[in-house]
């Protein structure tokens, strides 16, 4: 029996049975696999870490796309950093009112590989005429991008230890702030606080230097082991985090979305953080 | 690596003559692959691994890749269930193409650059060895992910290569370091030591195990996150002198010391030399001859800048073999191919007449040989081939 054992933590590891290997790419610098697991469907791993699975990806992608877009209310221009598997694009594309989607992925091969071996992730979204696909380093892209051109930025990065590290840098958050239009918002993948509390605090510090309102919202994604995962939130408009349920309901209806995890109630509730997380962010209880 | 006063390599064994099959075996390898060669025998690696498992039952073995960082060796050991001791990013990179998970590794270099820590974590290596507070501080940003082994220094007096001079905290420092780590939220998973390499007697290992056991007991008595691992390092000897090495006699005292440990303590070891030294044979060819004074000189295509580098860095003398069994022998020098006069494999060895093209076989040449060979004079390193 073949198994995949995650390598994130020294004293604990989750283990998945590999029922069929669809794709494996290994070089001296990285090891990427897409395999089938009886319960999870297709699973993609990179360097010993689960990236996404067919069974639970909807939670992650719905929450990272719909929360900032519906909070914003009239987002027209969206930037996705990373997300080569295409699922973030799929969720963003479902908003008909959005006029342009720029997606910046560092590795063209990842996209091709995902189209072929994880087709349900993008579900055809790469053909969306509103999409402008840029193959580039995310950091370089935001540095070179014109100011004030995006309403929503979604950073769908990998683990901060590894190639995605710059997407957790203060410079990155600063550049994102610069290229957001007034009233814009950015949302980021920020790991599982139960194991990565230091990374949460770091984002509070780094992102907090650039945005008047910095916070986190959360969702439990089962295969990101460790309880709730945190999404970073940065905006100059504190009101975006407080949009009332009725307004969200209305926007949700107007967008015509069908979701499996996201609801306006979940949206509101996801900004409530457990006391131990809030305390750590406030500088207590460390 | 530095030599230790208590150890001297014995006289170098030389074998004269070979069976026709043996001769044919070496000659056909050279005919096929050229010279110089290092021949890795998988079956011998497996035999050494099984022997060590039998001698140290219940001990998880982490092959010290540095001894011979070669893919076929790593692959062979991985298939047997062996784990790996990595000490650099490069060693970790050897594992990735072989699909060996970082979970099967520990990172044993006590001094690391921050980017090495990240690279190790990225490779899935989450257990780190440190021996002081400054190094521990480098691990702070990753404290929720990692486990730490504290390296303690115990200097053996019977080892060929001392490894406790450069690294390891004093045993007295352990409680204080453990307290400091706990205060910072770093978990000290256990203790590690490495008494030195090619340890002639097991006494140093035994003494270190016993001292570590009491240190662990003392620290665990007032710490609610107990240490759970003891890493007894490497250092297990092989037979370079041709005297015969009674493995059971060497390992029994260590095995008994380990049996006295509390049951919930996991024991791991980092053998390098023991697993690979007997598994590799060097084949060199006589490329030239000269008569100088009373001495016959033979120039080979491999030397101390190449596969025989272990004679300098590792202080070993490898058993040699030539095929000519003529009892008429004269004091000879076997010299390597570089232009440096230090490049001499053996001086004053009695040798029968050797001709150009004759082969010189080096036995027990798996550990710290190819690993430390240089490219001096732009000479190619001996080709490594794997058989069995
Ligand atoms: C930390 C560590 N572990 C293990 C080893 C392997 O030792 P040996 O080859 O003597 O078994 C070494 C050798 O240098 C070492 O430094």
């Amino acid at each position: 029996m073949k198994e995949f054992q995650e390598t994130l933590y020294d004293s604990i590891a989750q283990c998945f049975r590999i029922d069929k290997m669809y794709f494996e790419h290994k070089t001296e610098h990285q090891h990427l696999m897409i395999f089938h697991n009886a319960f999870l469907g297709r699973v993609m791993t990179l360097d010993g870490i689960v990236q996404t699975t067919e069974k639970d990806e909807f939670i992650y992608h719905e929450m990272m796309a719909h929360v900032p877009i519906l909070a914003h209310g009239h987002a027209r221009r969206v930037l996705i950093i990373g997300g080569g598997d295409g699922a973030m694009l799929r969720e963003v594309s479902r908003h008909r009112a959005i006029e342009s989607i720029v997606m910046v992925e560092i590795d063209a091969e990842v996209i091709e590989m995902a189209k072929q071996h994880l087709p349900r992730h993008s579900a055809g979204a790469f053909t969306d005429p509103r999409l402008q696909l840029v193959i580039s380093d995310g950091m370089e892209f935001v540095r070179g991008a014109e100011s004030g051109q995006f309403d929503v930025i979604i950073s769908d990065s990998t683990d901060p230890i590894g190639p995605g590290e710059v997407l957790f840098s203060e410079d990155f958050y600063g550049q994102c702030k610069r290229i957001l239009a007034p009233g814009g918002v950015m949302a980021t993948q920020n790991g599982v606080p139960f194991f990565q509390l230091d990374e949460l605090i770091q984002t509070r510090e780094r992102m907090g230097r650039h945005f008047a309102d910095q916070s986190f919202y959360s969702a439990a994604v089962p295969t990101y082991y460790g309880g709730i995962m945190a999404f970073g939130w940065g905006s100059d408009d504190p009101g975006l985090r407080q949009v009332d349920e009725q307004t969200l309901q209305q926007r949700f209806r107007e967008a015509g979305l069908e979701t499996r995890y996201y609801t306006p109630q979940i949206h509101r509730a996801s900004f409530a953080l457990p006391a131990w997380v809030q305390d750590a962010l406030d500088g207590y209880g460390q | 690596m530095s030599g230790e006063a208590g150890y001297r390599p014995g006289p170098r064994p030389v074998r004269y003559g070979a069976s026709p099959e043996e001769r044919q075996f070496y000659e056909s390898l050279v005919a096929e692959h050229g010279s110089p060669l290092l021949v890795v025998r998988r079956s011998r690696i497996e035999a050494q691994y099984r022997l060590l498992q039998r001698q140290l039952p219940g001990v998880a073995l982490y092959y010290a890749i540095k001894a011979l960082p070669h893919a076929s060796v790593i692959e062979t050991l991985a298939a047997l269930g062996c784990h790996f001791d990595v000490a650099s990013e490069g060693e970790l990179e050897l594992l990735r193409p072989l699909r060996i998970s970082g979970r099967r590794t520990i990172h044993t270099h006590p001094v690391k650059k921050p980017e090495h820590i990240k690279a190790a974590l990225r490779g899935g290596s989450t257990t780190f060895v440190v021996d002081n507070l400054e190094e521990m501080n480098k691990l702070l940003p990753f404290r929720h992910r990692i486990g730490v082994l504290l390296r303690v220094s115990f200097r053996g007096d019977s080892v060929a290569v001392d490894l406790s001079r450069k690294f390891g905290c004093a045993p007295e420092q352990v409680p204080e370091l453990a307290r400091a780590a706990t205060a910072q939220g770093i978990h000290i998973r256990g203790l590690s030591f490495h008494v030195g390499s090619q340890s002639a007697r097991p006494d140093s290992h035994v003494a270190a195990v016993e001292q570590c056991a009491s240190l662990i007991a003392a620290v665990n008595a007032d710490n609610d996150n107990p240490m759970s691992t003891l890493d007894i390092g490497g250092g297990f000897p092989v037979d370079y002198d041709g005297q015969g090495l009674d493995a059971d006699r060497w390992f029994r005292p260590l095995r008994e010391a380990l049996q006295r440990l509390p049951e919930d303590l996991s024991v791991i070891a980092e053998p390098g030399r023991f697993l690979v030294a007997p598994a590799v044979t060097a084949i060199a060819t006589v490329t030239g001859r000269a008569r100088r004074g009373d001495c016959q000189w033979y120039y080979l295509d491999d030397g101390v800048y190449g596969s025989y580098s272990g004679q300098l860095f590792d202080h070993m003398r490898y058993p040699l073999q030539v095929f000519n069994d003529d009892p008429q022998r004269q004091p000879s020098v076997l010299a390597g191919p570089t232009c440096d006069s230090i490049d001499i494999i053996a001086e004053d060895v009695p040798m029968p007449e050797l001709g150009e093209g004759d082969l010189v076989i080096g036995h027990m040449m798996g550990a710290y040989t190819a690993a430390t060979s240089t490219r001096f004079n732009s000479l190619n390193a001996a080709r490594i081939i794997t058989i069995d």
Side-chain angles (χ1 to χ4, degrees):
Chain A
M1 185 176 71
K2 293 233 156 95
E3 284 182 343
F4 165 77
Q5 220 183 32
E6 203 166 39
T7 60
L8 270 168
Y9 314 115
D10 192 57
S11 55
I12 295 173
Q14 60 175 347
C15 183
F16 298 0
R17 195 174 69 215
I18 299 176
D19 289 318
K20 180 175 167 52
M21 185 65 75
Y22 293 116
F23 179 82
E24 185 166 18
H25 180 69
K26 54 181 194 298
T27 66
E28 265 174 36
H29 302 291
Q30 66 172 24
H31 183 191
L32 194 144
M33 292 194 288
I34 296 176
F35 60 83
H36 185 83
N37 172 274
F39 189 80
L40 298 168
R42 297 195 179 210
V43 178
M44 177 164 88
T45 68
L46 176 65
D47 292 335
I49 303 178
V50 175
Q51 302 296 308
T52 186
T53 86
E54 284 184 336
K55 185 86 165 177
D56 67 359
E57 59 86 8
F58 68 98
I59 305 174
Y60 176 82
H61 294 111
E62 286 183 12
M63 286 301 278
M64 262 194 101
H66 305 323
V67 172
I69 292 171
L70 293 176
H72 186 281
H74 41 271
R76 299 285 175 267
R77 300 152 299 174
V78 175
L79 169 64
I80 302 169
I81 307 274
D85 58 47
M88 197 65 74
L89 174 63
R90 178 196 71 210
E91 290 305 314
V92 172
S93 299
R94 295 168 72 190
H95 293 265
R96 286 170 304 219
I98 285 171
E99 289 160 6
S100 79
I101 307 168
V102 178
M103 173 172 159
V104 182
E105 165 61 49
I106 195 165
D107 189 348
E109 266 181 70
V110 170
I111 295 175
E112 286 317 307
M113 182 268 314
K115 276 187 196 165
Q116 195 182 341
H117 301 285
L118 278 178
R120 281 195 276 264
H121 269 62
S122 50
F126 283 111
T127 58
D128 190 316
R130 296 168 296 173
L131 169 66
Q132 184 198 341
L133 184 59
V134 182
I135 301 301
S136 157
D137 177 280
M139 186 69 221
E140 267 168 41
F141 176 87
V142 295
R143 271 201 195 114
E146 239 172 75
S147 300
Q149 57 165 318
F150 295 105
D151 301 312
V152 171
I153 299 177
I154 299 169
S155 173
D156 181 9
S157 65
T158 53
D159 189 69
I161 297 170
E165 188 174 3
V166 285
L167 304 184
F168 294 83
S169 65
E170 193 184 332
D171 192 19
F172 177 72
Y173 300 131
Q175 295 294 342
C176 285
K177 158 73 192 268
R178 182 182 62 75
I179 63 176
L180 275 175
V185 57
M186 84 178 292
T188 65
Q189 184 281 112
N190 215 108
V192 175
F194 190 69
F195 288 109
Q196 300 167 329
L197 195 57
D198 290 348
E199 285 153 27
L200 203 75
I201 294 166
Q202 205 169 64
T203 302
R204 156 62 47 96
E205 285 166 5
R206 293 177 181 176
M207 199 192 264
R209 285 193 198 114
H210 297 283
F211 291 94
D213 188 42
Q214 195 289 321
S215 191
F216 297 91
Y217 63 108
S218 76
V221 183
T223 57
Y224 299 148
Y225 176 73
I228 56 167
M229 88 165 297
F231 304 101
W233 179 269
S235 174
D236 280 348
D237 179 359
L240 291 192
R241 198 150 54 93
Q242 319 284 352
V243 181
D244 61 68
E245 201 183 306
Q246 253 185 329
T247 313
L248 289 174
Q249 283 288 8
Q250 193 190 337
R251 291 175 183 172
F252 182 56
R253 261 196 319 274
E254 280 168 8
L257 296 175
E258 267 177 48
T259 53
R260 286 202 290 151
Y261 186 87
Y262 179 92
T263 66
Q265 292 95 325
I266 288 265
H267 177 136
R268 292 272 306 165
S270 68
F271 284 93
L273 298 175
W276 65 273
V277 173
Q278 197 59 59
D279 284 352
L281 290 172
D282 295 344
Y284 304 114
Q286 277 190 61
Chain B
M1 304 185 204
S2 84
E4 178 79 6
Y7 177 92
R8 288 271 173 274
R12 180 203 300 274
V14 182
R15 228 184 104 198
Y16 304 97
S19 69
E21 297 78 37
E22 227 180 325
R23 205 177 155 140
Q24 148 77 19
F25 169 74
Y26 290 121
E27 284 172 354
S28 63
L29 284 175
V30 169
E32 188 180 346
H33 304 284
S35 171
L37 282 182
L38 284 169
V39 185
V40 178
R41 289 190 168 162
R42 282 204 188 87
S43 61
R44 294 301 308 272
I45 296 175
E46 176 165 356
Q48 289 297 105
Y49 181 78
R50 301 256 186 243
L51 173 60
L52 195 53
Q53 270 190 321
R54 274 199 308 279
Q55 292 297 338
L56 298 175
V59 176
L61 301 178
Y62 286 71
Y63 169 55
I65 292 177
K66 60 179 83 71
L68 182 57
H70 193 260
S72 71
V73 173
I74 294 171
E75 221 169 359
T76 304
L77 285 165
L80 294 167
C82 192
H83 297 66
F84 298 92
D85 153 4
V86 298
S88 72
E89 213 174 317
E91 289 181 354
L92 201 57
E93 279 169 13
L94 288 173
L95 301 180
R96 208 182 323 250
L98 301 176
R99 286 190 268 184
I100 296 167
S101 164
R103 281 207 84 71
R104 289 172 73 177
T105 68
I106 57 173
H107 195 294
T108 61
H109 203 300
V111 180
K112 292 169 275 292
K113 290 185 180 170
E115 58 264 37
H116 292 165
I117 300 171
K118 284 188 200 155
L121 285 172
R122 220 190 135 204
S125 196
T126 52
T127 303
F128 294 89
V129 173
V130 299
D131 64 6
N132 67 57
L133 267 184
E134 267 179 60
E135 284 299 316
M136 204 124 73
N137 285 337
K138 292 187 195 166
L139 295 170
L140 257 183
F142 316 103
R143 65 190 165 168
H144 297 296
R145 297 193 180 199
I146 61 168
V148 170
L149 299 176
L150 257 189
R151 177 146 166 192
V152 192
S153 163
F154 300 102
R155 296 185 71 169
D157 56 10
S158 62
V159 297
V161 182
D162 180 14
L163 288 162
S164 272
R165 187 167 80 101
K166 191 164 163 185
F167 299 116
C169 68
E172 309 81 76
Q173 293 175 286
V174 167
E176 177 197 324
L177 283 168
R179 254 194 307 278
T182 307
Q184 292 183 309
I186 290 180
H187 175 50
I188 303 289
R189 198 178 129 184
L191 300 183
S192 96
F193 62 78
H194 190 76
V195 295
S197 203
Q198 184 66 7
S199 191
R201 294 189 306 276
D203 319 19
S204 329
H205 283 85
V206 171
V209 166
E210 285 166 354
Q211 282 203 56
C212 283
S214 27
L215 285 168
I216 289 173
V219 170
N220 285 0
D222 58 10
N223 190 327
D224 58 11
N225 203 354
M227 289 196 207
S228 61
T229 304
L230 175 61
D231 174 357
I232 64 173
F236 316 117
V238 296
D239 181 19
Y240 289 112
D241 301 340
Q243 308 288 329
L245 195 125
D246 184 344
D248 196 55
R249 200 164 143 225
W250 196 98
F251 282 102
R252 188 180 308 120
L254 176 55
R255 193 162 56 237
E256 287 167 0
L258 295 176
Q259 275 156 5
R260 291 191 292 271
L261 294 173
E263 246 181 51
D264 52 5
L265 199 63
S266 309
V267 181
I268 68 178
E270 305 162 3
R273 184 187 311 280
F274 190 87
L275 295 178
V276 293
V280 179
T281 307
I283 311 178
T285 304
V286 175
T287 53
R289 309 161 359 129
R291 182 93 207 158
R292 306 196 193 281
D294 290 340
C295 231
Q296 180 63 41
W297 285 63
Y298 296 108
Y299 297 88
L300 310 183
D301 56 5
D302 204 352
V304 302
Y305 283 92
S307 307
Y308 288 82
S309 58
Q311 295 199 170
L312 286 184
F313 296 121
D314 192 37
H315 317 288
M316 297 304 150
R317 298 280 172 275
Y318 309 103
L320 299 176
Q321 179 184 7
V322 291
F323 300 156
N324 185 347
D325 60 359
D326 184 351
Q328 283 260 47
R329 291 164 199 152
Q330 50 174 327
S332 306
V333 179
L334 299 182
T338 70
C339 55
D340 189 355
S341 55
I342 199 184
D343 189 4
I344 287 172
I345 295 171
E347 227 161 330
D348 263 339
V349 270
M351 278 288 154
E353 173 94 17
L354 298 178
E356 229 179 280
D358 281 3
L359 301 186
V360 176
I361 310 299
H363 292 286
M364 307 287 294
M365 286 195 55
Y368 310 108
T369 52
T372 50
S373 89
T374 73
R375 295 291 313 279
F376 185 47
N377 276 206
S378 300
L379 291 162
N380 284 331
R383 183 150 169 217
I384 301 181
I385 59 164
T386 306
I387 60 168
D388 284 347

